[in-house]
């Protein structure tokens, strides 16, 4: 007997996407036996290992690398995070997120540009440092990114 609705490469499947931080539709790009191995997110286009939409018991819980000791993580309070988010909302008020340029190290940005970062999301270029650094405000705070800068006049 053959099951008709077997999943194959090219099928749609729901999977958890780490970039989108939610369950999104994915296309299966690779199978291992009868199991889905790799999928591509329809939303962000990211390829990653298949993560079932719902955790199946204790199996398949990814082991995350332990954070190194002595790293200053988690120092940011919830209040600071909210302040950063509010600040960000003010900065991009009235700006059209659709005009954001996708961030890449080879992309060109200048002060005032909106950018769309695959991981951090929407950001606003608030400062540039020659030859190749930009300071960007994201919802979660400021980051320094590398990119191509327009030559100073
Ligand atoms: Zn995604």
């Amino acid at each position: 007997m053959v099951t008709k609705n077997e999943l194959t490469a090219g099928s749609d499947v729901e999977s958890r996407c780490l970039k989108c931080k939610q369950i999104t539709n994915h296309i299966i790009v690779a199978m291992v036996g009868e199991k889905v191995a790799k999928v591509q997110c329809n939303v962000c286009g990211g390829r990653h290992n298949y993560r079932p939409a719902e955790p199946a018991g204790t199996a398949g819980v990814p082991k995350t690398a332990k954070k190194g000791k002595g790293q200053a993580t988690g120092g940011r309070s919830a209040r600071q995070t909210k302040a950063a988010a509010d600040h960000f909302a003010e900065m991009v008020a009235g700006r059209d997120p659709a005009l954001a340029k996708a961030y890449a190290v080879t992309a060109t940005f200048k002060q005032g540009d909106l950018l769309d970062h695959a991981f951090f999301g929407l950001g606003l270029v608030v400062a540039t440092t020659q030859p190749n650094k930009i300071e960007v405000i994201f919802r979660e705070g400021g980051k320094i990114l590398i990119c191509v800068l327009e030559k100073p006049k």
Side-chain angles (χ1 to χ4, degrees), residues 17 19-20 24 26 41 43-46 48:
C17 176
K19 280 188 190 168
C20 300
T24 58
H26 287 68
C41 177
V43 178
C44 69
H48 51 78

Side-chain angles (χ1 to χ4, degrees), residues 25-100:
N25 278 320
H26 287 68
I27 288 175
I28 300 172
V29 292
M31 303 282 297
V32 173
E34 290 178 356
K35 290 194 171 177
V36 183
K38 286 217 177 239
V39 292
Q40 178 165 14
C41 177
N42 283 346
V43 178
C44 69
R47 288 188 179 199
H48 51 78
N49 292 331
Y50 174 61
R51 296 178 191 88
E54 287 181 52
T58 52
V61 175
K63 284 216 170 98
T64 44
K66 277 186 185 162
K67 288 255 160 71
K69 274 188 243 176
Q71 250 182 329
T73 53
R76 203 182 282 192
S77 74
R79 195 190 302 165
Q80 277 174 311
T81 307
K82 187 178 181 304
D86 286 350
H87 179 60
F88 175 73
E90 273 174 39
M91 301 279 287
V92 298
R95 302 293 296 265
D96 184 357
L99 298 178

